[in-house]
Amino acid sequence: TRPAPAHADLIGSDAAGVLSRAGVALGVIDAAVHTIIIRKVTAPVLFDETPVGLRRRRTMAEGMQRLESLAAAGQIRSSGAPTLDGICAVTAIDYLNFRFADAPWLPAMPALNAMSTSLRERPSVAQTMPFVAS
C-alpha cells in the first residue's frame, strides 16, 4: 500500500464534504474580491446597486450564512488542526470583516468569528497574518 498523501490532513475523512464547504467559502471570496475590484474601476454607489453588484452581495451573504450554520452545527472542524473548509471559511470571514466591516447585509457570524479567533492562535497562522497598519 502507498502512504497517505501529505495533504490528507487538510481533507480529513469526509473529502466530498470538506471540498463542498471549501467551495462555498471560495465562492464568497471570489464575489468579494470582484466587488472590490469593480468598485475601484467605478464608484461603489454605481456598482453596488446594479444587478451584478446585488447578485455578488447575495452570494456573499448567503454563502456566509450557510458556512455559519455549518460551523455552528459542528460540521466544520473548529478544534485541532483545521481542514481545508475551515481554512477557507476563516479566510472568507476575515476578508469580509476587513473589506465590508459595516455592511448591514452581512449576517451575524459568531461561530465563524470564534473559529477565526481560535485559528489565529496557531503559530502557523499567527506568523503569516498580514500586517494591518492602524
Side-chain angles (χ1 to χ4, degrees), residues 49-102:
E49 299 304 320
T50 66
V52 173
L54 293 170
R55 190 172 329 121
R56 288 195 177 138
R57 180 188 303 176
R58 188 174 60 247
T59 296
M60 289 183 271
E62 290 177 0
M64 293 311 289
Q65 181 60 53
R66 185 170 170 198
L67 291 170
E68 174 64 22
S69 295
L70 291 165
Q75 292 182 307
I76 299 176
R77 186 189 302 170
S78 60
S79 62
T83 50
L84 187 61
D85 54 349
I87 294 169
C88 292
V90 165
T91 300
I93 193 164
D94 286 349
Y95 188 73
L96 291 180
N97 285 337
F98 177 66
R99 293 291 185 186
F100 302 95
D102 298 327

